[in-house]
Amino acid sequence: KQEVTQIPAALSVPEGENLVLNCSFTDSAIYNLQWFRQDPGKGLTSLLLIQSSQREQTSGRLNASLDKSSGRSTLYIAASQPGDSATYLCAALDSNYQLIWGAGTKLIIKP
Amino acid sequence: KAGVTQTPRYLIKTRGQQVTLSCSPISGHRSVSWYQQTPGQGLQFLFEYFSETQRNKGNFPGRFSGRQFSNSRSEMNVSTLELGDSALYLCASSGDTGGLYNEQFFGPGTRLTVL
């Protein structure tokens, strides 16, 4: 059974720092991995989608990597801003065609 | 292009009642998936519909059901509500035929409270 873990559960950093969020999965047989952000009381916003054949995806200050062999994905945020404060979730599409979610990392960027 | 819309945004029900939630996908999207989000269990996949057919279902009891109409709008129904059904229910849509293989676009969710 696929399990997705995100560590740490919470992270607080000063504005301007570069940071890395981690996502690990137990079964490497995934079709893709997607990163989202969720603002309090709101739905999810898709950030990056990495297909299983890809190693990384980039969008603006965000870069996500995928290493299936080690069961890991990382989301790199460059030059963090207070507006980046949110909960970041990763989800893996497993071999049973189900999206399995991590519990999220709550990120706070201090001005 | 309008995003995914969900109605109602908030709902309060009592145990034993049933509830129907609605989701309108982005225009042109034919895949709609549903998720339950609770503080204890996090996000869990409920089911996915494509062209009026359920393609996959998560590990939820039969009290949770759904359907999709010819215009791709989808409804989710929960019968015999229990306190543990209190949650944020999210739906997402995606384009093409790839469904969950493609990027998912989420609605704002329906907050269901069961008393």
Side-chain angles (χ1 to χ4, degrees):
Chain A
K1 179 187 170 186
Q2 178 72 272
E3 292 181 2
V4 177
T5 304
Q6 291 185 252
I7 295 173
L11 183 63
S12 180
V13 301
E15 180 179 4
E17 280 200 5
N18 302 325
L19 57 100
V20 174
L21 305 181
N22 297 297
C23 173
S24 61
F25 44 95
T26 55
D27 187 345
S28 62
I30 62 170
Y31 290 109
N32 63 41
L33 190 134
Q34 194 164 359
W35 283 92
F36 299 87
R37 68 174 280 170
Q38 185 172 33
D39 294 279
K42 296 188 178 181
L44 280 70
T45 301
S46 173
L47 297 173
L48 290 164
L49 169 68
I50 312 175
Q51 300 293 351
S52 62
S53 58
Q54 299 173 321
R55 296 283 293 182
E56 64 178 335
Q57 284 287 330
T58 299
S59 176
R61 295 183 294 108
L62 305 179
N63 175 277
S65 67
L66 176 64
D67 184 343
K68 285 176 58 179
S69 62
S70 66
R72 291 187 61 192
S73 177
T74 60
L75 178 67
Y76 175 82
I77 302 176
S80 58
Q81 303 170 357
D84 295 330
S85 297
T87 296
Y88 289 79
L89 297 120
C90 64
L93 183 60
D94 73 1
S95 56
N96 294 315
Y97 191 65
Q98 294 197 11
L99 264 180
I100 309 299
W101 295 81
T105 294
K106 184 175 181 179
L107 177 64
I108 297 174
I109 307 298
K110 297 174 290 187
Chain B
K1 199 181 243 188
V4 178
T5 58
Q6 292 187 246
T7 57
R9 292 292 312 279
Y10 301 91
L11 206 51
I12 299 176
K13 292 285 188 179
T14 57
R15 280 182 300 172
Q17 288 187 310
Q18 77 166 27
V19 66
T20 298
L21 312 181
S22 180
C23 172
S24 293
I26 291 172
S27 178
H29 285 189
R30 289 191 288 163
S31 168
V32 174
S33 52
W34 288 89
Y35 305 85
Q36 181 195 66
Q37 187 176 30
T38 60
Q41 298 295 319
L43 267 158
Q44 296 183 88
F45 170 73
L46 280 158
F47 26 65
E48 188 229 358
Y49 285 87
F50 180 84
S51 292
E52 303 178 66
T53 300
Q54 186 181 92
R55 292 206 290 198
N56 206 353
K57 188 179 191 313
N59 190 26
F60 277 82
R63 300 186 298 106
F64 292 80
S65 63
R67 59 177 175 169
Q68 187 180 35
F69 302 95
S70 59
N71 61 358
S72 294
R73 188 177 70 86
S74 177
E75 287 182 348
M76 191 193 91
N77 185 75
V78 187
S79 62
T80 318
L81 284 167
E82 301 176 0
L83 294 178
D85 297 333
S86 294
L88 180 65
Y89 289 89
L90 295 160
C91 83
S93 74
S94 68
D96 298 324
T97 60
L100 299 182
Y101 295 115
N102 297 333
E103 186 177 9
Q104 303 295 301
F105 296 89
F106 280 80
T110 294
R111 172 75 63 185
L112 171 65
T113 301
V114 181
L115 302 176

